[in-house]
Each structure stands twice: as structure tokens, then as C-alpha cells.
Amino acid sequence: MSSWTRLFQRPKRRHFALLDEERCCRMLLTAVERPCSAQWIEVPEIRLDWIGKPIPGALQS
């Protein structure tokens, strides 16, 4: 990739979900970098119906 192409390339956006103590989704976010808080997890997509519910496939600790 040429330096000219890299100059205009946008950073890849990633999707994150904020989980509460019961591992239910409280907020969704699309950003370039992961938020600092440990309660944010990366998800493959944003689905508004996840808010207030456990995220399917999220790791349980």
C-alpha cells in the first residue's frame, strides 16, 4: 500500500458493549479504540435488542 493511500485510509471501527454486574448489556459503542473500563467487551456487531439482556456468546466469569 502506498503512503498516499494510507494517508486517506480511515481507522477500522470496532463494536463494544458495556456489561453490568449481572453481565447484562447497558450500553453499546462503536469506536476505533477499546474503552478503558474493564466492563467493556468487544462484540462482532451492534444489536439494540441486547440492551438490558445478556449478550449471546459473551464469556461468563
Side-chain angles (χ1 to χ4, degrees), residues 33-51:
E33 295 183 15
R34 184 183 184 279
C36 295
S37 172
Q39 292 87 1
W40 287 95
I41 63 164
E42 189 164 0
V43 293
E45 62 182 329
I46 294 287
R47 305 251 333 243
L48 294 178
D49 61 330
W50 286 343
I51 295 179

Side-chain angles (χ1 to χ4, degrees), residues 4 10 16 21 27-28 32 40 44 46-47 50 53-54:
W4 183 253
R10 289 185 178 171
F16 300 93
E21 303 81 33
M27 184 184 294
L28 298 166
V32 174
W40 287 95
I46 294 287
R47 305 251 333 243
W50 286 343
K53 302 175 188 168

Side-chain angles (χ1 to χ4, degrees), residues 17-28:
L18 177 65
L19 303 182
D20 64 11
E21 303 81 33
E22 286 117 28
R23 307 285 296 169
C24 290
C25 178
R26 292 293 162 216
M27 184 184 294
L28 298 166

Side-chain angles (χ1 to χ4, degrees), residues 4-17:
W4 183 253
T5 307
R6 270 182 272 175
L7 181 64
F8 294 103
Q9 187 177 19
R10 289 185 178 171
K12 184 179 178 191
R13 295 184 184 210
R14 298 159 47 195
H15 306 295
F16 300 93

